[in-house]
Amino acid sequence: MRRASARNRALGVYSAISGAGLAAGLMLGGLLTEVSWHWVMFINVPIGLAVLLLGPRLLPEPRRHPARLDLIGAITSTIGIAALVYGLIRGASDGWVSAPTIALLAIGAGAFTAFLVVESRTSRPLVPMWLFTQRNRAGSYLNMLLIPAAMFAVFFFLTQFTQSVLGFSPLRAGLAFLPLAVAQYLAARTAPALLPRFGPKPVTVTGAGLIAAGSAWLTQVSSSTGYATGLLGPLLLFGLGVGLCFMPLNMMIVSGLPPEDTGIASGVLQAMQQVGGSVGLAVLVTVFAAFSDPQAGRSASASGTPAAGDEILVHGIAAAFTAGTVLAAVAVVVALFALRHGREA
């Protein structure tokens, strides 16, 4: 019990720190973009060097376990994800029956099929299939795909909305996301106290529900939407939802695993988040492109009617948020019916 409590507090601190990092990153990104967008790329260099230099000195050396690199699994999974994301983007621009789109999607499907075959047969797979045999863990992994997919829509499309429609500068657009980060921090600090009382399932359902509500609210954006009246509320809901559900999802994924398996389980968790965000954003950009006409928007702006261009842009953004709401709603369904109720994961 004491070990579970310490683990919960550690996960709460991790979630809270990630919220603070999100706020700092958004503000710093906006500030750097004011100077030059190139600096957004360069800032990662000193951060990476600091990790390389300080990591070995500050982090204790973990216990080593024999393993080997699943090179074929790494190659097939990378090709599959890259081809799928690029195929979705090309489908939006070139059409779904174009040769490049069909080829890329076929390569992605073939690579993922090969990946599953390799992982089921190799002795030390990159992603052990037994991780998905436990119900709570499998459901948590699925939500770690769905929730980042909905989240990336907020960051990507609201950045466009605040700058292109509301006329915010890059720094002001970054500051606009500060309420989301603060809400995430506060919710993440509260989650450890809620878990012993209610259990991980109700907390996850509540968090996913808040995310779905925030996304549904954003489907109502228009060219007349203001920040305080139309964006602040959804950002707060998103922050609270993410702060509440990420900790119990992390907890259920690593719960019951021996120490030598927590590393691979956590690695798969991080991969799920990145894959969910990448593939989800590609899907939402495809929806955006289907419901907007950039060429018409440029023509309207050139003819002296920028409001018409804004309407075209906002229509596409609202459609993307509708698709994001569907993803978030599926996450709620998964939390309701795939996760088992219990105070301990």
Side-chain angles (χ1 to χ4, degrees):
M1 181 68 69
R2 183 176 300 176
R3 180 178 298 178
S5 177
R7 180 188 61 195
N8 292 349
R9 288 196 300 270
L11 288 172
V13 171
Y14 167 77
S15 299
I17 290 176
S18 68
L22 171 64
L26 290 169
M27 289 184 289
L28 182 59
L31 180 62
L32 293 174
T33 305
E34 293 276 8
V35 181
S36 172
W37 70 266
H38 299 85
W39 283 100
V40 177
M41 306 299 174
F42 288 130
I43 193 61
N44 293 319
V45 176
I47 294 175
L49 291 175
V51 172
L52 288 174
L53 293 174
L54 298 177
R57 299 182 180 182
L58 301 179
L59 298 177
E61 183 69 23
R63 182 181 176 185
R64 295 179 179 271
H65 303 282
R68 63 180 179 83
L69 177 63
D70 179 12
L71 186 60
I72 298 178
I75 292 174
T76 53
S77 62
T78 302
I79 292 175
I81 295 169
L84 176 60
V85 171
Y86 192 33
L88 290 171
I89 295 174
R90 288 296 296 265
S93 60
D94 299 348
W96 295 104
V97 295
S98 66
T101 301
I102 295 175
L104 286 166
L105 294 179
I107 292 172
F112 273 123
T113 302
F115 172 74
L116 293 175
V117 172
V118 169
E119 299 307 282
S120 64
R121 295 183 178 181
T122 185
S123 59
R124 295 190 180 275
L126 186 69
V127 180
M129 294 295 106
W130 57 261
L131 284 174
F132 304 96
T133 58
Q134 203 266 353
R135 182 170 171 176
N136 273 4
R137 188 176 300 117
S140 298
Y141 275 135
L142 180 55
N143 269 357
M144 278 297 185
L145 276 172
L146 295 168
I147 293 174
M151 282 180 59
F152 271 49
V154 174
F155 295 123
F156 183 77
F157 290 108
L158 281 191
T159 299
Q160 295 189 48
F161 185 88
T162 54
Q163 293 188 253
S164 299
V165 180
L166 299 183
F168 285 9
S169 66
L171 177 58
R172 192 179 176 190
L175 290 172
F177 288 94
L178 184 58
L180 183 152
V182 172
Q184 180 182 342
Y185 176 86
L186 295 175
R189 293 295 293 163
T190 304
L194 298 176
L195 287 174
R197 182 175 181 181
F198 299 104
K201 178 174 179 176
V203 177
T204 303
V205 170
T206 301
L210 290 172
I211 292 172
S215 186
W217 192 342
L218 287 173
T219 62
Q220 305 303 308
V221 294
S222 67
S223 57
S224 60
T225 296
Y227 176 79
T229 56
L231 303 186
L232 180 58
L235 287 172
L236 291 172
L237 291 178
F238 258 92
L240 293 172
V242 171
L244 285 178
C245 68
F246 265 36
M247 181 193 162
L249 289 175
N250 276 266
M251 188 183 72
M252 286 185 283
I253 285 172
V254 301
S255 178
L257 292 176
E260 60 269 20
D261 291 329
T262 55
I264 185 63
S266 299
V268 174
L269 181 155
Q270 296 297 324
M272 289 290 183
Q273 287 183 267
Q274 300 303 319
V275 171
S278 300
V279 176
L281 184 58
V283 171
L284 298 178
V285 167
T286 300
V287 173
F288 168 81
F291 285 86
S292 62
D293 186 350
Q295 184 62 45
R298 286 192 292 270
S299 300
S301 297
S303 65
T305 56
D310 287 348
E311 288 293 347
I312 293 170
L313 175 67
V314 171
H315 185 62
I317 291 175
F321 281 130
T322 300
T325 302
V326 173
L327 294 174
V330 174
V332 175
V333 173
V334 170
L336 277 171
F337 298 104
L339 303 181
R340 297 182 185 275
H341 183 73
R343 299 185 186 278
E344 291 293 335

